[in-house]
Structure formats: structure tokens, C-alpha cells
Amino acid sequence: MYQDRIRHPALLSKLMTAKEAARLIEDGMTVGMSGFTRAGDAKAIPAALAEQARRQPLKITLITGASLGNDSDGLMSEAGLLHRRLPFQSDAVLRRKINDGEIMFIDQHLSETAEQLRSGSLAPVDAAVIEATAITKDGGIVPTMAVGNSASFAQQARQIIIELNLSAPLALEGLHDIYLPASRSVREPIPLTSPEQRIGAQAIHVDPARIAAIVITDSPDSHSSVLPPDRETAAIAGHIIDFLKAEVHAGRMGQELLPLQAGIGTIANAVLQGLIGSPFKGLTMFSEVLQDSAIALLDSGQLEFASASSITLSAAMHEKFMRHIADYRSRIVLRPQEISNHPEIVRRLGIIALNTALEFDIYGNVNSTHVDGTRMMNGIGGSGDFARNGQLSLFVSKSVAKGGGISSVVPMATHVDHTEHDVDVLVTEWGLADLRGLAPRERAPLIIERCAHPNYRPQLRAYFAQACREGGHTPHLLMQAFAWHARYQAEGTMFMS
């Protein structure tokens, strides 16, 4: 019954249960698992490893592409399996254990993990666990709905465990473009000059002798949990569309814009959704994740081609995508994340990068990861890969959170993931601040008046005025810089009545 999926006859002898395959992973190993934003992740092995860790001492370093689905990170965390985790996560249980210091989390730019493995800066991968649609006659692994770091893990691992997912249609074959850079001593430029170009293979080619186990599964990916657009996200989308219209009018780009990148999440998804019906045509995407909005843009005819590393969809959109996969396959390609996020390509293509901020300060420094500067949320993800190297770097946020108790615009960001040097445009529902060509003292008034919630503008104006009297290229009041955050911790609001 697996002959249409396991096409290398000798590999049929490697079939085993998840429990049996999990025994191949030993205490202290570094394990690379497929999975990128809840897509293409292993389904059975994480649960089997968690069960094994409950019965005997077993701790591993776990590297993935990005976040896993099916509550796998939570299961493994609760079981005490994870000693070290990188480069991104979004699970509430894992997040709590990271912030409690029980699990060591390394927050990385998503383009860097494979490079650090290749150079030996990270411990080598002992075992790779990769979800597949099929295994070709020569042992090639055909991924499912994500590539992530799977190709790099498979290239390096001493042994490979494949989860063959029967719920992934064979029509996914041909969706992928697997290309890995050579080591730096002999590396050539990556020959990718447009989003629709294919430069690699359709499968991850490995020596079949290193495939140690094949586990059959039949479980779909976790569905996206993004919320539909609301009044604030619609306003943010409107500001960005007006800004892009002005860029076209100024002659800095054509109606097809430049290739788009959008980070994961409700706000970025809503902004892309807002492009439907806009005057822009012939659009392309070169991003890390495709959400519902990307598929809707393809359906509208405005988006001609989309390149990414994974596809993460709501239940309804996932069902539609699978039903029409043959139609989408000619207009979508999935690549390894070190290619989808590679600075060389991002700079070459001139990406318009759209990412989300937790908070930003009056000079344009952005915090994407830490609440109150200390407590990790999810991680920097790929935002830095695009923000630093793209043609335009936009960061979006709602102006307030917690019912208005938190201002997203603050005097000083409590943690900086993206410095003012990498941020071109800031947007909230109140307006858009174009920071290009402005010095810090010119940026602050613009951010305050365009982006801050009206309730917080008087406080921000007062802080900036007093800081300017103290002097400095980037004026600050060190004794007051984090007073807003301290007030929230003590009183439950940043607002000073």
C-alpha cells in the first residue's frame, strides 16, 4: 500500500512504529526536526520521544525550522525532554519553561541556523526527523507543506527518520525547489534573480543508507489561528496601501511593486488581505511563510507568483488549497529557509518587508520578541533577515494593548531586535511614519504624532521635550526611560493620569 510513496524497494524494510523509531534517539543528542510555522512538522516522533522521556533520562537539543504544530513543543517540554531549543517557537508551555529558565532557548535569525550548522558553530545534528510526502527511487525525500531546515538536517545527520504522511497528497510533489549553498571556501553566488525561478531539485537527495527508519502517519498540519481583519488592522492596511501608491507615483517602483515579504500573524495577514482590490497588479512574493492572504491574492489574479519556505493556512483555506493544488503548483515554490531568507537574495530582489512589532520607541528601535524586555514571546524569526537587507522595511503594530493599558509606542524599547538603522517605516492604526532620511530628533515627533495612541501622545511629547533639554544626538532620560513599563507592572497601566 506504500509502493506509490516508498519507491526505493530496499527502504520498505525500514518501516517501524514511532515508538521503535524514537529509541534511535539517545540522551544528549542534537535532533533536527522538520517544521516551519506549524507546517510540515513531524507528528508521531515528538509524542513518542515525550513518552520515552517520562520513563527514562532523556534530554535533547532540538533544532527546527521554526514553530511546530500539534502541541508537540508543549508535549516535549512537559515531559522534560528539551534541554536546548532553537531557533523559534510559539508554544505557551515551552514559552513558560523558557522564561522560567528550565529550557535554554537560542533566538536566531532564521537564515543563520543552517549556516552555523554548516560551519560547525553549532553541535552537529545526530538525527534528523523529517516529514515527507514520498521517497523517490533514488532515496530523495519529497517534503510536505514546508521545507524549513529539513534539507540541511538531512545533509548533515548521521541517521534520518522519515515520517511518511499519507494525508499529504502526492500532488505536492513538484512544489519544492531544494538548493543548498556550498561551504564558504568554494561557494558561488546563489543563482536566483527572480521569485519564480527554480534553481534546485524537487526532493532532498540523501544516501538511502542513512535512512534509519520510516514511520507511517496520517495526520494533517495544525491549522493557522490568525484572526480575520478588524477595524485597526484594516486601517493599518489602508495606510500602507496609500504609502505604496505614493512610492509608485514618485517613480521608485512600478504598479507591480517589488517582491513582498510578510511575517506570520494576524496583522501581517490582514495587511496583505487589504491589497485585494488595490491598484497593484502583477505582484510577486518572496517570503518565508504563505498565509491565507497570499492564497487569496493568487485567487484575485493580482499576485502572479509566490516563493516561500512553508504554507500555513486556516482550515477552510487549507481544504481549498488541497482541492486545487494542481492549479496552485505552477504559481508557488517552497524552498529551504536559508534560501527564502537569504540576505544575498533579499538585497538583490529589493524586498518590501512587512513585519510585526511588540513595541517600538520614539526613535524607531523595534522590540519584536520580549515583553518588558525580559520575557520571551516567540522569537525574532525571519524579520531581521528581511528588515536589514530589503529595499523597504515596514513594522506594524496596534498602538495599544491590554485594553489601552499598554502603549506600543514607548520612550525607549525595553529590548531591541531591530535598531533604528534597519527600520524605514512604522505603522499603527493611527497613521504611518516614514523615517527615511531623518535624524533621531526628526523621527521622534513624527512617530509620536503619526503612530502613538492619542491618549499617550501628551506623555510622549513631555518626555521628548525634557530629553531634548538634557541634550544628546538621541535624547533620553535614563531615570525615566523605562518608567512606563515599571508603572504597568505596578499599576496595570502605562497611562499617567
Side-chain angles (χ1 to χ4, degrees):
M1 64 182 296
Y2 310 120
Q3 286 182 350
D4 59 339
R5 292 181 183 261
I6 304 176
R7 301 166 196 158
H8 190 292
L11 291 177
L12 290 169
S13 65
K14 302 296 179 70
L15 286 166
M16 61 182 73
T17 67
K19 184 176 181 180
E20 291 168 333
R23 295 195 191 106
L24 297 172
I25 295 173
E26 300 173 358
D27 187 49
M29 279 187 171
T30 296
V31 179
M33 283 189 182
S34 67
F36 194 108
T37 58
R38 302 169 65 152
D41 55 308
K43 312 296 194 293
I45 297 298
L49 283 171
E51 182 59 32
Q52 187 174 320
R54 294 186 188 99
R55 298 193 311 269
Q56 65 187 65
L58 180 62
K59 283 193 175 294
I60 63 171
T61 292
L62 178 63
I63 311 176
T64 61
S67 53
L68 301 179
N70 296 280
D71 299 322
S72 293
D73 268 323
L75 287 171
M76 293 186 284
S77 299
E78 288 285 20
L81 173 67
L82 303 183
H83 166 61
R84 192 176 301 275
R85 179 75 169 86
L86 62 153
F88 187 85
Q89 55 77 41
S90 61
D91 183 89
V93 176
L94 174 56
R95 182 184 303 125
R96 172 171 53 81
K97 289 186 174 289
I98 289 169
N99 287 321
D100 288 346
E102 297 179 34
I103 296 173
M104 297 296 103
F105 179 61
I106 302 173
D107 185 21
Q108 285 188 324
H109 298 297
L110 294 185
S111 67
E112 288 191 340
T113 308
E115 288 281 28
Q116 292 193 9
L117 286 169
R118 186 179 292 114
S119 68
S121 301
L122 296 174
V125 175
D126 296 298
V129 181
I130 299 173
E131 183 178 81
T133 300
I135 305 171
T136 65
K137 291 180 180 179
D138 58 355
I141 303 167
V142 180
T144 55
M145 292 284 278
V147 179
N149 279 321
S150 295
S152 299
F153 297 153
Q155 183 184 62
Q156 185 178 115
R158 291 188 294 105
Q159 57 183 352
I160 301 168
I161 300 170
I162 295 176
E163 285 198 9
L164 194 69
N165 193 340
L166 303 183
S167 76
L170 286 171
L172 289 174
E173 198 164 357
L175 189 67
H176 314 92
D177 185 53
I178 310 301
Y179 175 95
L180 294 179
S183 298
R184 283 199 174 96
S185 59
V186 294
R187 181 176 300 179
E188 297 288 335
I190 298 171
L192 186 67
T193 57
S194 63
E196 69 275 10
Q197 188 179 358
R198 289 176 176 269
I199 59 174
Q202 294 185 4
I204 301 168
H205 290 292
V206 300
D207 180 354
R210 290 195 294 120
I211 298 177
I214 300 173
V215 177
I216 305 299
T217 66
D218 192 5
S219 302
D221 288 334
S222 296
H223 297 305
S224 167
S225 57
V226 296
L227 301 173
D230 57 23
R231 181 176 59 83
E232 288 86 3
T233 57
I236 291 170
H239 298 317
I240 292 175
I241 290 168
D242 288 343
F243 168 76
L244 293 174
K245 288 178 181 177
E247 291 294 291
V248 172
H249 182 72
R252 287 188 278 269
M253 60 186 75
Q255 287 287 344
E256 72 283 0
L257 305 180
L258 291 165
L260 302 168
Q261 176 265 335
I264 194 74
T266 296
I267 297 179
N269 186 68
V271 170
L272 282 187
Q273 196 84 29
L275 290 173
I276 297 173
S278 71
F280 308 117
K281 309 292 182 183
L283 300 173
T284 59
M285 287 189 71
F286 192 85
S287 193
E288 54 204 335
V289 182
L290 302 182
Q291 298 187 92
D292 283 22
S293 55
I295 307 303
L297 273 169
L298 285 168
D299 292 343
S300 75
Q302 290 174 262
L303 180 63
E304 291 190 350
F305 196 89
S307 169
S309 191
S310 80
I311 304 173
T312 302
L313 304 173
S314 66
M317 188 63 82
H318 184 272
E319 191 276 331
K320 177 184 178 182
F321 179 84
M322 289 303 186
R323 193 169 65 248
H324 299 286
I325 181 63
D327 297 327
Y328 291 117
R329 195 170 53 200
S330 63
R331 295 184 290 157
I332 294 175
V333 64
L334 295 182
R335 312 180 190 276
Q337 69 192 68
E338 66 170 317
I339 300 300
S340 69
N341 292 48
H342 203 288
E344 173 190 335
I345 303 170
V346 172
R347 180 64 62 89
R348 178 182 298 142
L349 297 182
I351 302 297
I352 298 173
L354 176 68
N355 290 287
T356 305
L358 285 179
E359 66 177 4
F360 52 84
D361 66 28
I362 58 175
Y363 299 112
N365 300 291
V366 170
N367 174 10
S368 296
T369 58
H370 286 71
V371 175
D372 287 337
T374 61
R375 303 191 69 79
M376 171 60 65
M377 279 295 290
N378 299 331
I380 194 170
S383 56
D385 298 322
F386 294 97
R388 173 154 291 187
N389 300 289
Q391 173 74 14
L392 278 172
S393 172
L394 295 85
F395 280 91
V396 301
S397 177
K398 293 187 178 183
S399 64
V400 292
K402 299 295 183 182
I406 294 176
S407 173
S408 299
V409 186
V410 294
M412 181 182 282
T414 53
H415 176 92
V416 176
D417 294 290
H418 312 281
T419 74
E420 59 180 291
H421 312 292
D422 299 331
V423 179
D424 296 318
V425 177
L426 293 172
V427 196
T428 70
E429 72 273 22
W430 294 100
L432 180 147
D434 183 353
L435 308 179
R436 293 174 296 177
L438 300 182
R441 286 179 182 246
E442 296 170 310
R443 287 175 164 222
L446 192 65
I447 292 170
I448 293 169
E449 302 307 325
R450 296 280 182 86
C451 298
H453 192 283
N455 290 351
Y456 284 99
R457 288 176 194 168
Q459 290 177 222
L460 288 165
R461 293 181 193 123
Y463 175 89
F464 178 60
Q466 186 177 347
C468 285
R469 288 193 290 271
E470 296 289 331
H473 174 251
T474 306
H476 269 303
L477 305 170
L478 296 185
M479 296 298 290
Q480 298 181 31
F482 298 132
W484 290 33
H485 299 85
R487 185 180 304 116
Y488 178 77
Q489 289 183 347
E491 302 176 13
T493 181
M494 290 181 172
F495 186 71
M496 183 171 58
S497 57

